[in-house]
Amino acid sequence: MPEASASSQRFLAPAQVAELLSLEVVDVIALVKEGQLRGMQVGSPARWRIDESSLGEYIAAQSELSRRMALWQQSEVASFPEVWGSVSRFGN
């Protein structure tokens, strides 16, 4: 997949990302440091900026994780006959 050119990249301030994700700014910066969001420090004094495309990727990954967790929880609750159908060997 080709990299986006520098002119088409958009960067967001941590406060903007925090508002979009309903998080605190320190949590957004922690996500950058953990590698879950792509960001960099620019300027003097240095200020964090987060690559907007990584925000979309992060949201998609979190959505997929939530979907998988919901499926797992459903499988934990469901009884085997409900999942696999009822099969009776003894004609009950």
Side-chain angles (χ1 to χ4, degrees):
M1 184 171 183
E3 288 292 320
S5 68
S7 63
S8 67
Q9 283 184 313
R10 183 166 175 224
F11 296 94
L12 303 170
Q16 292 172 298
V17 176
E19 184 176 340
L20 290 169
L21 297 177
S22 298
L23 297 173
E24 298 293 324
V25 172
V26 295
D27 297 327
V28 171
I29 293 170
L31 289 172
V32 173
K33 289 180 178 180
E34 293 168 4
Q36 294 187 50
L37 290 171
R38 285 188 309 275
M40 63 185 154
Q41 288 186 301
V42 295
S44 180
R47 296 194 175 142
W48 283 103
R49 293 296 178 255
I50 290 93
D51 184 349
E52 184 180 41
S53 65
S54 76
L55 178 60
E57 294 164 7
Y58 174 77
I59 291 170
Q62 292 301 305
S63 177
E64 177 63 14
L65 180 62
S66 295
R67 185 188 73 79
R68 289 180 183 203
M69 290 302 296
L71 288 173
W72 178 256
Q73 289 173 351
Q74 288 173 1
S75 71
E76 294 266 318
V77 172
S79 67
F80 283 102
E82 292 170 329
V83 173
W84 303 108
S86 62
V87 177
S88 174
R89 292 187 192 179
F90 305 107
N92 294 353

